[in-house]
Amino acid sequence: MDCRSSGTPETEYPVYEGQEQYNPYVYAGGEEDDTELTKQMAEMDAGFYDDNQYPAYTDYDHHALDASYYHSAPVYLRQPLDYHLYTPAPPANFVPSTFDSHFVLPSHALRQLLQKRSETTRQIAPIGSNLPEELQGYHTLVPLEPTAGDRRKFGNWYSTVYRAINLTDGLPYVLRRIENYRLMHQSAFSAIEIWSNLRHPNIISVKEAFTTRSFNDNSLVFVYAYHADAQTLFDVHLKPKPPSMQTHPYQHGRSSHLQAHLPTIIPERTIWSYIVQIASAIKKVHEHGQAVRNVDVTKILLTGQNRVRINCCGIIDVLMHDTIQDIVLLQQEDLNMFGRLIFSLCCNNITATSGQNYQKSLDFIGRNYSAELKDTAMWFTSRVAPIRTINMFLEKISARVVSEMEDALDGNDRLESELQGELENARLVRLLCKFGFINERPEFAREPRWSETGDRYIIKLFRDYVFHQVDERGNPVVNLSHVLTCLNKLDAGTDEKIMLIARDEQSCLIVSYKEIKHCIESAFGELARATTKQ
């Protein structure tokens, strides 16, 4: 472990003198044995191969030499893929899904997180918001922050953030509105064209920018990619938490009292992850001849577990379009802001580098974190060092970059394993749709009892076998495992036979899943052919 502290509330934080209340709305400028391994490998289905594992057949060329004249080469017949067989999941020992990784939550927590994000994306604006119904191709505006009371500012201008749906692709986007700003030159949007072509996994993508009078003023609107339930690093780590009510038992009952939440130390592994990701984003921006100008705890979003992205890129470039500035100096300022960000995260204080607080912050970092992290913070904030570049820094922390890459690849394996578990869901949905088209159809081809005769009668009995079973007391059997097992066997068309009994118990049939599948395909094909007739 790199972190030298356990992160308990008893951590003694330095007392900063002359510290002012921070205003977040002001822009600051086990190894397995051979037997077990053999068993696991035997469980893996060897019948799944890539479509391109064998070359495609080509027409016979009579000018070519016959290979059989020289060698008796074996002939391999290319078989079609067995799509009806379900892809087996990797062994749990290889890709565990119940344990927390650096970037991916456990399986059950990941599902809850995605459901919550989906619900957040579909929320609507409160009644009385008085928002425009349509804004330059965007509709259904929803404010993502309070529009009354303490207003957020971006520089000297009030700023409001909305979520909206694009008319073209139907996807949600973030609209950041700068209020009462009159754009004098359309050439200011040239910076947005550069940012819109810059793609990086740790930068919130910029889509476009435009001016509008739909809010009854001169507003400048920037459009960004939307990440549901994202929070700034300030809100997650530095913002004071309100006291909560704590209940404690005592001899004659229970007592409750308000308990303040003391700041906790951020684990060093998490801080290094933030550093590597932000440094990678800065490197991408600097390589494109731009400067971030937003390396601040209020402008960096936490969009997932330990996943950060730089937000609000390109806004300052447009707002200060008339100001001529040296790009080299701006890139140096990015590195200085990066150092102040590291100090703020380590000390849980936004003013950790101001005035006489600097030395106290260094002492605090030295007591609670490794010397490597302390040297990194000093490297960015030192004023006597020569001109620094982000490439020099990445070479300095190459071991940390490798560790971050390993965690990222492990998270990718976890996500692929989760996706593989959902791969075949669509097959069962299509199968149930075929049941719905066939069963209980009132009339077809002028036959009122079409769904009750012929092969359709077997399908009806199978439907009762899967969904309408009862126990010995006559109570319905609601067993999802039974339903999934039967549908999977039907989809595979196995030779296993089952006994289907009529509802009046006067007749029974012994058929295989393969025969039932043939009946369903025949009945559905008959319906499909009827829809194509002129």
Side-chain angles (χ1 to χ4, degrees):
M1 293 291 290
D2 291 329
C3 185
R4 300 182 180 180
S5 174
S6 61
T8 57
E10 289 78 8
T11 303
E12 181 180 356
Y13 283 84
V15 179
Y16 297 101
E17 300 179 2
Q19 176 178 330
E20 298 180 356
Q21 180 68 28
Y22 174 66
N23 184 3
Y25 306 120
V26 177
Y27 174 63
E31 185 176 0
E32 301 289 341
D33 56 15
D34 293 342
T35 303
E36 183 64 21
L37 183 59
T38 302
K39 179 180 178 182
Q40 293 173 355
M41 296 301 294
E43 294 175 352
M44 300 180 67
D45 190 350
F48 288 89
Y49 299 97
D50 185 13
D51 267 336
N52 301 320
Q53 60 176 329
Y54 301 120
Y57 289 116
T58 58
D59 295 335
Y60 175 71
D61 185 5
H62 62 276
H63 295 291
L65 294 176
D66 189 359
S68 62
Y69 177 81
Y70 296 95
H71 299 284
S72 179
V75 177
Y76 296 98
L77 297 178
R78 183 167 181 255
Q79 300 293 337
L81 291 177
D82 295 329
Y83 287 108
H84 60 276
L85 297 178
Y86 279 69
T87 305
N93 294 336
F94 293 164
V95 187
S97 61
T98 57
F99 298 98
D100 193 4
S101 68
H102 184 68
F103 287 110
V104 182
L105 295 170
S107 180
H108 64 283
L110 180 62
R111 291 174 179 271
Q112 293 179 359
L113 175 64
L114 296 179
Q115 291 286 354
K116 183 179 178 182
R117 289 180 180 177
S118 178
E119 181 181 0
T120 301
T121 304
R122 288 163 175 78
Q123 290 178 351
I124 61 175
I127 300 176
S129 299
N130 296 324
L131 297 175
E133 293 187 2
E134 195 272 337
L135 185 66
Q136 295 284 345
Y138 296 89
H139 64 90
T140 317
L141 273 67
V142 178
L144 299 181
E145 57 188 18
T147 56
D150 292 336
R151 302 289 309 283
R152 290 184 180 271
K153 276 191 173 184
F154 199 100
N156 298 323
W157 297 273
Y158 283 108
S159 172
T160 310
V161 182
Y162 304 93
R163 187 193 71 235
I165 305 299
N166 184 271
L167 285 171
T168 304
D169 55 22
L171 298 178
Y173 290 90
V174 168
L175 307 183
R176 179 174 287 273
R177 170 194 171 205
I178 307 297
E179 302 179 12
N180 295 314
Y181 180 85
R182 182 184 294 273
L183 187 69
M184 304 303 297
H185 305 285
Q186 286 294 118
S187 60
F189 286 146
S190 60
I192 297 300
E193 296 179 3
I194 299 176
W195 282 102
S196 63
N197 294 323
L198 195 153
R199 292 288 181 268
H200 192 272
N202 297 114
I203 297 178
I204 302 294
S205 299
V206 183
K207 181 175 176 60
E208 60 179 337
F210 54 86
T211 58
T212 181
R213 295 185 58 86
S214 299
F215 296 95
N216 300 321
D217 68 346
N218 295 306
S219 294
L220 180 60
V221 179
F222 298 86
V223 183
Y224 294 91
Y226 175 65
H227 297 271
D229 292 335
Q231 292 181 287
T232 65
L233 291 183
F234 176 80
D235 292 332
V236 175
H237 296 297
L238 304 183
K239 185 177 182 179
K241 304 297 189 297
S244 60
M245 187 67 67
Q246 300 291 333
T247 303
H248 300 280
Y250 68 102
Q251 184 177 2
H252 301 289
R254 304 178 69 87
S255 63
S256 300
H257 66 279
L258 288 175
Q259 181 176 351
H261 292 278
L262 299 178
T264 58
I265 288 182
I266 305 175
E268 182 165 345
R269 178 67 189 90
T270 301
I271 294 181
W272 276 116
S273 181
Y274 293 168
I275 291 175
V276 172
Q277 294 178 64
I278 296 173
S280 176
I282 295 176
K283 173 181 170 62
K284 184 72 171 183
V285 174
H286 288 188
E287 287 177 348
H288 280 69
Q290 300 296 310
V292 180
R293 311 177 76 173
N294 279 326
V295 189
D296 184 78
V297 289
T298 62
K299 303 299 184 296
I300 297 179
L301 299 182
L302 186 67
T303 59
Q305 179 162 272
N306 298 322
R307 182 71 182 277
V308 293
R309 303 173 194 260
I310 301 178
N311 192 25
C312 300
C313 293
I315 296 182
I316 300 180
D317 296 329
V318 176
L319 297 180
M320 303 183 66
H321 172 69
D322 297 332
T323 304
I324 301 177
Q325 294 182 338
D326 187 355
I327 190 62
V328 176
L329 296 179
L330 293 178
Q331 293 179 354
Q332 289 296 306
E333 180 60 23
D334 283 347
L335 301 184
N336 292 332
M337 296 177 67
F338 195 7
R340 294 194 293 269
L341 171 68
I342 297 175
F343 268 92
S344 300
L345 293 176
C346 292
C347 301
N348 278 275
N349 193 289
I350 199 67
T351 60
T353 57
S354 60
Q356 57 187 348
N357 297 334
Y358 181 78
Q359 187 59 44
K360 294 181 180 180
S361 301
L362 280 180
D363 296 338
F364 179 81
I365 296 175
R367 292 194 306 268
N368 295 279
Y369 295 99
S370 65
E372 182 183 6
L373 184 56
K374 180 180 178 181
D375 293 340
T376 297
M378 294 176 61
W379 188 85
F380 281 111
T381 56
S382 176
R383 298 184 182 275
V384 297
I387 294 180
R388 300 173 293 267
T389 64
I390 194 64
N391 290 330
M392 295 169 55
F393 173 67
L394 289 174
E395 293 177 1
K396 181 181 176 66
I397 62 166
S398 58
R400 299 289 181 178
V401 175
V402 172
S403 176
E404 190 74 5
M405 184 187 68
E406 292 175 353
D407 288 333
L409 294 177
D410 178 65
N412 183 69
D413 291 340
R414 284 282 310 280
L415 291 178
E416 286 187 0
S417 178
E418 295 290 338
L419 179 61
Q420 194 173 26
E422 309 296 328
L423 182 64
E424 302 292 349
N425 287 350
R427 299 193 61 81
L428 296 187
V429 173
R430 289 194 293 268
L431 193 58
L432 291 175
C433 289
K434 291 181 180 180
F435 270 107
F437 285 125
I438 298 171
N439 284 319
E440 308 295 341
R441 177 170 287 276
E443 181 180 357
F444 178 70
R446 299 182 180 180
E447 176 58 47
R449 293 177 52 83
W450 177 83
S451 61
E452 305 284 340
T453 59
D455 293 341
R456 283 79 61 189
Y457 181 68
I458 297 178
I459 300 174
K460 176 183 177 181
L461 295 184
F462 180 75
R463 190 266 313 268
D464 292 342
Y465 174 81
V466 175
F467 297 101
H468 298 162
Q469 288 197 6
V470 296
D471 58 14
E472 61 276 4
R473 298 181 180 178
N475 299 322
V477 176
V478 183
N479 188 347
L480 184 59
S481 298
H482 168 73
V483 173
L484 295 178
T485 300
C486 294
L487 294 180
N488 289 340
K489 292 179 180 180
L490 174 65
D491 197 22
T494 64
D495 292 327
E496 179 182 346
K497 295 186 177 182
I498 57 176
M499 183 171 62
L500 304 179
I501 303 177
R503 295 182 178 181
D504 57 6
E505 299 183 355
Q506 298 299 315
S507 60
C508 65
L509 298 174
I510 299 178
V511 295
S512 65
Y513 285 99
K514 183 177 181 180
E515 294 169 339
I516 300 175
K517 181 180 181 179
H518 175 73
C519 294
I520 294 177
E521 295 296 338
S522 176
F524 183 75
E526 188 176 349
L527 295 176
R529 287 190 297 272
T531 60
T532 59
K533 291 181 180 180
Q534 298 297 332

